[in-house]
Amino acid sequence: EEEEEDEAQGHVEVDPELDDDSPAPSRLVLYMLRTIKDRIVADVQTRDKPYVRLLAQLLRKLDPFEQKSLMLSKLQTEADAQRFILFVRDGIQYIEENRKEWVRDERVDRMRAIADQASMLHSSSPTV
């Protein structure tokens, strides 16, 4: 009964024999299983949070054209884009307020670029 509860909360019992002193293939398998478990847990936790998912996807993409394409597919109206921009800016503010003075977080720069790019998605100004 406790095992089922642990599994439902994302806790996985790991064989104590597969620790960091195990042969490389065993560590690799363990690493892969933990990564898969983390991805599943993240997917479940963000299922009803589309902006969290979108921002995570955009932060993984380095190509601006891929980012723009993804944003266009997910932020189909100007109102969607504006809500996403506010979400990203709130995230930037949170990171800046809670980081150490001496720590530079490159996510902030990338998030600013994403917010700027999102602000240009549905601009009503005609191109000349």
Side-chain angles (χ1 to χ4, degrees):
E1 195 171 303
E2 283 182 36
E3 270 183 42
E4 289 176 11
E5 187 176 315
D6 283 347
E7 287 177 14
Q9 293 178 1
H11 301 287
V12 176
E13 186 109 3
V14 177
D15 186 345
E17 293 179 20
L18 292 178
D19 60 9
D20 289 337
D21 295 330
S22 299
S26 297
R27 283 194 308 242
L28 180 59
V29 169
L30 184 59
Y31 172 78
M32 290 172 51
L33 290 172
R34 284 181 181 154
T35 301
I36 291 168
K37 179 200 69 125
D38 290 347
R39 293 289 305 245
I40 291 170
V41 169
D43 188 60
V44 168
Q45 290 175 344
T46 62
R47 186 170 289 145
D48 61 339
K49 299 175 178 106
Y51 294 149
V52 173
R53 292 181 75 143
L54 177 57
L55 181 59
Q57 291 171 329
L58 291 168
L59 287 170
R60 284 193 304 266
K61 292 188 182 302
L62 299 178
D63 181 20
F65 295 108
E66 287 181 14
Q67 288 178 333
K68 183 177 181 181
S69 175
L70 180 59
M71 279 191 263
L72 283 170
S73 73
K74 301 291 184 181
L75 306 172
Q76 297 182 353
T77 67
E78 186 171 349
D80 288 340
Q82 292 302 318
R83 284 190 292 271
F84 178 69
I85 292 165
L86 290 175
F87 170 79
V88 173
R89 289 185 178 152
D90 284 346
I92 292 168
Q93 182 179 355
Y94 177 83
I95 290 171
E96 288 181 331
E97 288 175 358
N98 292 291
R99 71 176 179 197
K100 305 282 188 226
E101 289 292 323
W102 49 271
V103 176
R104 176 168 159 68
D105 194 329
E106 73 178 43
R107 291 177 300 177
V108 170
D109 296 333
R110 298 204 44 225
M111 289 170 70
R112 280 195 181 102
I114 287 168
D116 290 346
Q117 193 172 19
S119 69
M120 294 184 280
L121 282 181
H122 299 285
S123 64
S124 57
S125 59
T127 54
V128 178

